[in-house]
Amino acid sequence: MLGQIKNIFKFRELLLALLVRGFKAKYKNSFLGIFWSFLNPLANVLIFAFIFTMIIRINIKDYPLYLLCTILPWTFFNSALINSVVSIFEDSHFVKNTAFPLEIIPLAVVIVNLVNFVIDLVILAVVLFFLGRGPGHLWFYLPFLIFIEFILISGLSIFFSAVYVIFRDLNFILNIILRLFFYFVPVIYTLDFVPEGFRLLYFFNPLAVIIDGYAKVLIQGLRPDSTMLFASLLQSVLIFVACCILFNRIRRIIPERL
Amino acid sequence: MAQEVIRIENLTKIFRVVHEPPLTFQKALHNFLERKNNCQELLALKNINLVIFESEAVGLIGANASGKTTLLRIIADIYAPSSGAINVKGKVSPSLELGSGFCMEFTGIENLYLYGAIFGLSRKAIGRKIPQIKEFSELGDFLDVPLRQYSFGMRMRLAFSLAANINPDILLIDEMLAVGDLSFKEKCFKKIKELKSTGMTLLLVSHNMDEISRLCDRVVMLDGGEIKKSGPAGEVIGEYNKFMGSK
């Protein structure tokens, strides 16, 4: 495991080159370029805001703003996973011709999405500032939340991208699971809506805790529960380690299956 | 005595070949329910023993599917051996068979940066080598064009120029020279000889016996995953021609 991280560090130039490629490939020939990463979640916000304030009246204060704060981290999770699952497969030409730590490929995809997310957060911060809602000292929680989410996504991405090479249905399955999982994370609702009996389950959902944390810190002006946050960190690290172990078990057969 | 660069002992490689691979869930489930196992083991390399020394040029010859490329990929640490041991000292060049390893949507330069990075060169270091690669490949402004617009010959020029100019300890060439024109081929030969004199080891897979006999000190003939004959170029090539003729 430690050797693995060392190995990735050794290939940091490759990671950098893949990042540059990732950004170029993503926004080549598109006029609005990097703003698409903000416009996409914004469209979702508008749709949900319309439904839940005009049609079904949901009782959450400043609902459109709340949505903005939860949909951005959800989009990070969602698009990072969807983009990375096919990444090793799509780079088969490298994988079959040279030896290097394969996990760098999905990792680069996750980092491209991370950078997008951070840019989105900056835009959001500007919006919040002009609305007179910040910056506050609670914003210091943000790097911590981003870090937990990054660890969680990285682990899953590394594992899924390897499995996809062997099992091509994963792509479709993942799409469905993500669509379902969206409703198990407090994006369009807050945790207060969840009945007491079920709320314990959210304790075992690291992403739910993270997204709730963003909402608390950015808009509700509340301090995230430190026990929950710590549990989320622990779970994310465990998932990351488990995914890396599983990845290591199949990594050597990946070039043969491409 | 020259230093050992590659030592291969009792190496065997078995591929699990899945006929009609059940890449989809439906098929996998079907196979599972019918208790059908359409997996077959394919012995790609069998009990290979090979030692290669520094600045030696070794040719690998053999019919198609005799295990040449598999052996190169194991030396490059892309495939893991199923059993046996392999020890490689030094940096191995990417084995770009006909430049198929390039990213087609990217320009020549962008591909050079990517492969340079895979090889472990920093952006700066590769940047310094680009004029050299540009001059050697004679591709000129084509380096700024996406790879999909390259011909086979041009891709090969890029692949060889890259591999030869990043100073690998071991250079792998997999049937790459076949599509080059005569003048570029001569240039490649000259470059290879020059690199050899500085201590680089060469492993060349080719079906062109003229190439092999001009470049290689030693030739290994593979057949069905086994080393059939190994020795000085003239001897092995004679045997190879006889063998292929009898088929």
Side-chain angles (χ1 to χ4, degrees):
Chain A
M1 191 79 177
L2 219 64
Q4 201 166 357
I5 292 167
K6 238 192 212 156
N7 213 358
I8 290 175
F9 187 71
K10 217 179 92 194
F11 280 84
R12 61 192 181 282
E13 290 288 344
L14 173 61
L15 186 63
L16 205 70
L18 287 175
L19 286 179
V20 171
R21 185 189 68 154
F23 280 110
K24 273 192 185 163
K26 205 164 178 181
Y27 298 115
K28 227 175 196 174
N29 305 326
S30 96
F31 181 62
L32 284 175
I34 202 125
F35 284 100
W36 278 118
S37 76
F38 192 73
L39 293 177
N40 253 328
L42 194 65
N44 274 331
V45 168
L46 292 178
I47 295 165
F48 285 121
F50 174 75
I51 295 175
F52 289 109
T53 55
M54 298 296 192
I55 301 172
I56 310 167
R57 278 148 212 260
I58 195 167
N59 186 20
I60 294 177
K61 231 178 116 201
D62 304 316
Y63 191 60
L65 266 185
Y66 173 81
L67 274 177
L68 207 52
C69 297
T70 52
I71 277 191
L72 291 181
W74 166 260
T75 307
F76 173 34
F77 182 81
N78 188 60
S79 50
L81 280 186
I82 290 200
N83 294 340
S84 62
V85 69
V86 292
S87 60
I88 289 184
F89 176 73
E90 284 184 344
D91 272 337
S92 59
H93 41 96
F94 299 135
V95 177
K96 279 187 93 77
N97 285 295
T98 35
F100 64 97
L102 300 180
E103 56 271 39
I104 281 188
I105 295 176
L107 206 56
V109 175
V110 175
I111 294 176
V112 167
N113 279 283
L114 171 71
V115 172
N116 271 334
F117 174 53
V118 171
I119 291 170
D120 290 352
L121 277 183
V122 170
I123 298 175
L124 177 65
V126 171
V127 171
L128 288 173
F129 173 74
F130 278 110
L131 292 173
R133 286 170 168 274
H137 66 280
L138 282 174
W139 286 17
F140 285 112
Y141 274 102
L142 287 176
F144 189 56
L145 291 169
I146 296 171
F147 174 74
I148 307 177
E149 194 177 356
F150 175 69
I151 293 283
L152 177 67
I153 297 174
S154 303
L156 294 174
S157 294
I158 287 170
F159 176 58
F160 287 155
S161 60
V163 172
Y164 177 70
V165 174
I166 297 159
F167 182 60
R168 303 279 158 80
D169 281 36
L170 183 68
N171 201 3
F172 302 107
I173 295 173
L174 190 70
N175 261 299
I176 295 174
I177 290 180
L178 280 171
R179 213 167 298 166
L180 285 174
F181 191 53
F182 176 77
Y183 297 98
F184 289 91
V185 176
V187 176
I188 50 174
Y189 55 88
T190 63
L191 278 185
D192 305 328
F193 280 82
V194 182
E196 283 288 343
F198 289 111
R199 214 172 290 175
L200 198 65
L201 282 178
Y202 282 82
F203 195 74
F204 298 101
N205 181 346
L207 190 67
V209 176
I210 295 166
I211 288 189
D212 180 54
Y214 284 109
K216 279 200 164 87
V217 165
L218 285 170
I219 185 126
Q220 296 168 333
L222 296 169
R223 196 175 293 278
D225 186 279
S226 50
T227 325
M228 294 277 263
L229 219 50
F230 185 72
S232 168
L233 172 67
L234 200 69
Q235 287 163 16
S236 298
V237 170
L238 279 179
I239 290 173
F240 180 83
V241 171
C243 284
C244 285
I245 289 170
L246 290 169
F247 175 82
N248 286 341
R249 290 187 71 144
I250 51 176
R251 65 183 306 156
R252 287 319 300 251
I253 63 163
I254 291 172
E256 295 168 20
R257 294 300 184 87
L258 277 168
Chain B
M1 193 68 189
Q3 221 194 331
E4 256 179 48
V5 184
I6 302 172
R7 169 173 279 276
I8 299 173
E9 277 169 352
N10 299 323
L11 184 136
T12 294
K13 178 70 193 172
I14 298 165
F15 285 117
R16 268 183 64 217
V17 181
V18 187
H19 291 280
E20 273 186 71
L23 286 175
T24 62
F25 183 66
Q26 197 187 1
K27 276 191 203 143
L29 187 72
H30 184 252
N31 287 348
F32 179 74
L33 290 177
E34 304 248 298
R35 306 216 179 284
K36 208 164 79 182
N37 187 4
N38 49 11
C39 249
Q40 201 187 37
E41 292 202 332
L42 187 124
L43 196 58
L45 290 172
K46 199 167 143 194
N47 215 11
I48 301 283
N49 286 288
L50 187 62
V51 178
I52 293 170
F53 296 96
E54 192 180 60
S55 81
E56 200 180 9
V58 176
L60 288 175
I61 58 176
N64 297 128
S66 57
K68 306 183 295 289
T69 299
T70 305
L71 186 56
L72 279 198
R73 285 193 173 148
I74 287 179
I75 290 170
D77 196 32
I78 298 165
Y79 294 163
S82 302
S83 69
I86 175 160
N87 195 359
V88 178
K89 279 186 206 127
K91 280 191 149 180
V92 183
S93 75
S95 87
L96 296 156
E97 28 164 353
L98 278 183
S100 70
F102 286 123
C103 176
M104 289 297 148
E105 283 307 306
F106 276 68
T107 67
I109 296 270
E110 286 169 323
N111 269 297
L112 291 179
Y113 275 114
L114 267 176
Y115 268 98
I118 290 181
F119 190 68
L121 290 176
S122 69
R123 230 182 137 69
K124 251 195 192 146
I126 254 286
R128 273 199 299 273
K129 301 226 178 247
I130 280 184
Q132 205 178 322
I133 294 173
K134 193 167 183 170
E135 197 200 310
F136 188 88
S137 65
E138 299 164 17
L139 286 170
D141 293 338
F142 271 104
L143 281 184
D144 296 318
V145 168
L147 258 276
R148 62 187 139 83
Q149 295 180 0
Y150 280 39
S151 68
F152 269 122
M154 288 160 73
R155 274 183 225 164
M156 167 265 166
R157 277 175 180 243
L158 187 67
F160 183 85
S161 309
L162 170 70
N165 284 296
I166 53 179
N167 307 331
D169 298 314
I170 300 165
L171 179 64
L172 306 179
I173 298 182
D174 194 349
E175 297 183 38
M176 195 153 81
L177 300 171
V179 289
D181 59 47
L182 209 63
S183 78
F184 191 72
K185 232 171 165 170
E186 288 305 320
K187 201 171 169 181
C188 294
F189 282 18
K190 233 178 92 190
K191 182 78 183 174
I192 288 171
K193 289 201 167 135
E194 184 193 311
L195 288 170
K196 245 191 84 181
S197 68
T198 64
M200 186 198 67
T201 307
L202 170 74
L203 266 154
L204 174 68
V205 167
S206 179
H207 291 290
N208 183 334
M209 293 308 130
D210 181 48
E211 251 171 48
I212 295 270
S213 59
R214 277 185 62 187
L215 284 172
C216 300
D217 314 311
R218 184 152 62 105
V219 177
V220 173
M221 177 179 159
L222 286 170
D223 179 47
E226 281 179 288
I227 294 183
K228 188 119 185 188
K229 196 169 168 68
S230 165
E235 226 173 88
V236 181
I237 289 173
E239 171 94 12
Y240 176 73
N241 285 335
K242 225 164 55 192
F243 173 73
M244 291 308 271
S246 71
K247 263 196 169 176

